[in-house]
Amino acid sequence: MMRRLFFYLMTVVSLSAYAQSDTTIVQSRVLKFGFLSYEKALYSMPDYAVVKQRMDDMRTQFEAEAKRVETEFNRKYEEFLDGMKDFPKTILQKRQTELQRLLEENVAFKERGIKELESTEREAMAPLREKLNEVLTGVGLERGYALIVNTDANACPFISPMMGEDINEEIVKRLNHKE
């Protein structure tokens, strides 16, 4: 009986020790992560203001040209409407064809302009995003994060403060640090 009791106690002690070591292993595997507003970090970069100003200038130029072309079309259309009843059929058809061509050119111009603006913005923002991603990778590796979550657009309405760490200030500080 004594032997059985000893064996039982040794089993309980062994299982208890194993459970504690297993808990330690599980606790050390708890995922740590950081979270931030990617846009806030991006907008805080000094070069962002330069890119934004450049894009605003391009948009202003594009809008001015689009307005000029639209005004020219409207003027020609009004002239067409004013003279429509006096034009012989051949001139009427020629003017209609000319107006249709102008309208199509204006639409094509606007579409090309929008695509060009989008492309230029993507190209101008690429180095900024690359730099931000490098800083995020560095912070993630330094702090042993499993991942960094972008909280923009309310993507994560709740983040446990026991598991996640707000890294907004750290990222902004690193991005604006003079090298």
Side-chain angles (χ1 to χ4, degrees):
M1 172 84 168
M2 196 64 156
R3 226 176 185 188
R4 230 183 214 178
L5 184 60
F6 179 73
F7 180 73
Y8 177 73
L9 286 173
M10 289 306 289
T11 304
V12 169
V13 168
S14 295
L15 287 174
S16 176
Y18 177 76
Q20 284 181 335
S21 68
D22 194 38
T23 303
T24 305
I25 290 169
V26 170
Q27 286 175 347
S28 69
R29 289 187 180 173
V30 171
L31 295 178
K32 283 185 358 182
F33 63 92
F35 60 91
L36 82 156
S37 165
Y38 193 90
E39 288 183 1
K40 180 179 176 183
L42 193 63
Y43 299 163
S44 77
M45 298 173 76
D47 291 342
Y48 178 80
V50 174
V51 170
K52 184 172 179 348
Q53 184 60 53
R54 179 176 163 214
M55 293 309 303
D56 288 348
D57 291 347
M58 282 185 70
R59 276 188 192 86
T60 300
Q61 291 172 350
F62 170 72
E63 288 168 2
E65 182 62 15
K67 181 68 176 162
R68 186 196 67 74
V69 167
E70 183 181 334
T71 301
E72 179 183 332
F73 175 81
N74 288 340
R75 183 185 53 78
K76 287 185 178 192
Y77 185 67
E78 287 174 15
E79 288 173 2
F80 170 76
L81 291 176
D82 288 344
M84 195 166 105
K85 61 182 180 245
D86 298 330
F87 292 146
K89 189 174 182 176
T90 55
I91 293 176
L92 184 66
Q93 288 175 338
K94 179 183 178 272
R95 297 267 177 105
Q96 283 176 327
T97 303
E98 184 181 296
L99 286 171
Q100 183 63 37
R101 183 185 51 78
L102 276 174
L103 182 61
E104 289 169 1
E105 287 175 1
N106 291 353
V107 169
F109 168 75
K110 286 181 182 180
E111 289 173 355
R112 280 192 317 270
I114 289 169
K115 286 180 183 176
E116 184 179 335
L117 285 169
E118 289 171 351
S119 173
T120 301
E121 186 169 25
R122 257 191 320 277
E123 290 171 15
M125 293 297 289
L128 295 156
R129 291 182 188 284
E130 187 176 315
K131 181 179 179 181
L132 175 53
N133 290 338
E134 287 173 6
V135 170
L136 290 172
T137 298
V139 168
L141 291 172
E142 284 173 23
R143 296 187 179 184
Y145 293 149
L147 56 106
I148 295 177
V149 177
N150 179 0
T151 59
D152 291 340
N154 202 23
C156 296
F158 172 75
I159 296 177
S160 171
M162 293 171 50
M163 295 177 162
E165 181 180 9
D166 184 344
I167 59 171
N168 277 296
E169 288 181 32
E170 177 66 21
I171 297 301
V172 168
K173 184 173 90 177
R174 288 187 188 205
L175 288 170
N176 292 300
H177 182 276
K178 303 292 182 207
E179 296 172 11

